[in-house]
Amino acid sequence: MKCIRNICLYLKKYISDKQFERIFYQDIDDFKSILEENIYWKILFSNFNKKEDIISMNTYLYDYVEKNYKSVYNEISDAYIEKLIETNEKNEVIDILKKKYKQKEEVFINCCMIDTKLELIYSIKKALNYPKHCANNWDAIEDFIYDVVLPKKIVLQNWDSIKEKLPQDTIILKRILNKINSKYSTVLYE
């Protein structure tokens, strides 16, 4: 059942194409024993470097899971991921999820080397592990703020220097961060 869970995690984008490929080949015998033969061969012969192959494989996997393991697929959610991370289970998938989704104690963003709005947005996205598809604008930063695992503490070092360089952007950023301050994270402006 672990293989089915891993497929569902992959289909729901909790693990990447490359991570799924590695997991598949590490546990190839387990996948072969649990999957229908045509699904197993579809994964085996998919080129994970070709977008068309990945789309086709995902379609096959989704149809297979929908038909045979819908309850497992429906169980996968952010809450499910949190429970998985809290387990003492040791395997590569749990390690991937812990790295990506476990709450950090604190994150530091040094503002003194930031000169542009784009650099500020990039620093926020990088420090808070925003998804790659998040756009480089304040609306996107605000939209995704609840979709990332926020650290317990966010420290914006040298805040005064960035306030002078980008006054409008720092007002917007502060408004966004105030939404999460104390409820989800503590935000410090040093």
Side-chain angles (χ1 to χ4, degrees):
M1 206 52 148
K2 182 178 80 171
C3 294
I4 300 302
R5 179 191 72 187
N6 292 342
I7 289 171
C8 293
L9 288 167
Y10 170 61
L11 289 173
K12 289 212 169 180
K13 303 297 180 204
Y14 285 102
I15 55 178
S16 71
D17 298 326
K18 287 296 182 190
Q19 290 166 336
F20 179 70
E21 179 184 29
R22 190 172 56 248
I23 291 161
F24 174 77
Y25 284 108
Q26 285 175 349
D27 298 331
I28 197 163
D29 293 334
D30 293 339
F31 277 96
K32 186 174 185 177
S33 69
I34 200 164
L35 295 175
E36 290 177 4
E37 190 174 343
N38 63 327
I39 299 297
Y40 170 78
W41 289 108
K42 182 67 177 171
I43 299 171
L44 189 65
F45 287 117
S46 292
N47 180 342
F48 282 82
N49 294 317
K50 287 181 68 181
K51 192 173 190 171
E52 303 84 27
D53 281 14
I54 290 172
I55 292 168
S56 176
M57 178 187 63
N58 275 284
T59 303
Y60 275 88
L61 287 175
Y62 181 77
D63 290 344
Y64 175 71
V65 166
E66 182 74 16
K67 179 179 159 194
N68 299 293
Y69 299 100
K70 188 173 185 167
S71 63
V72 176
Y73 181 82
N74 289 338
E75 185 182 9
I76 306 290
S77 65
D78 289 347
Y80 180 87
I81 299 301
E82 286 179 27
K83 287 180 186 171
L84 263 182
I85 289 170
E86 291 170 2
T87 68
N88 289 328
E89 188 179 335
K90 295 283 184 204
N91 68 47
E92 183 175 5
V93 173
I94 303 296
D95 291 342
I96 290 167
L97 295 172
K98 281 182 178 179
K99 220 180 257 185
K100 191 171 181 182
Y101 296 103
K102 190 171 184 178
Q103 186 181 35
K104 295 177 185 173
E105 285 299 314
E106 59 187 0
V107 168
F108 294 91
I109 301 169
N110 190 345
C111 299
C112 75
M113 299 303 285
I114 297 171
D115 294 317
T116 67
K117 172 183 175 179
L118 197 56
E119 288 174 350
L120 180 58
I121 288 173
Y122 176 77
S123 297
I124 296 296
K125 286 172 56 174
K126 184 177 178 191
L128 300 181
N129 288 328
Y130 269 71
K132 290 179 183 174
H133 61 273
C134 175
N136 292 321
N137 60 62
W138 292 122
D139 289 336
I141 296 296
E142 188 167 13
D143 289 346
F144 279 93
I145 197 80
Y146 299 108
D147 293 344
V148 296
V149 179
L150 295 165
K152 292 179 183 175
K153 187 192 308 183
I154 301 169
V155 180
L156 292 132
Q157 298 171 311
N158 301 304
W159 179 251
D160 288 339
S161 71
I162 196 74
K163 271 177 45 178
E164 291 172 18
K165 295 177 198 173
L166 305 168
Q168 286 299 107
D169 293 307
T170 54
I171 290 169
I172 294 168
L173 176 58
K174 198 165 187 175
R175 181 185 52 77
I176 293 169
L177 294 178
N178 281 341
K179 288 182 176 183
I180 61 163
N181 197 10
S182 75
K183 185 174 181 183
Y184 300 98
S185 297
T186 302
V187 182
L188 301 174
Y189 305 92
E190 299 180 342

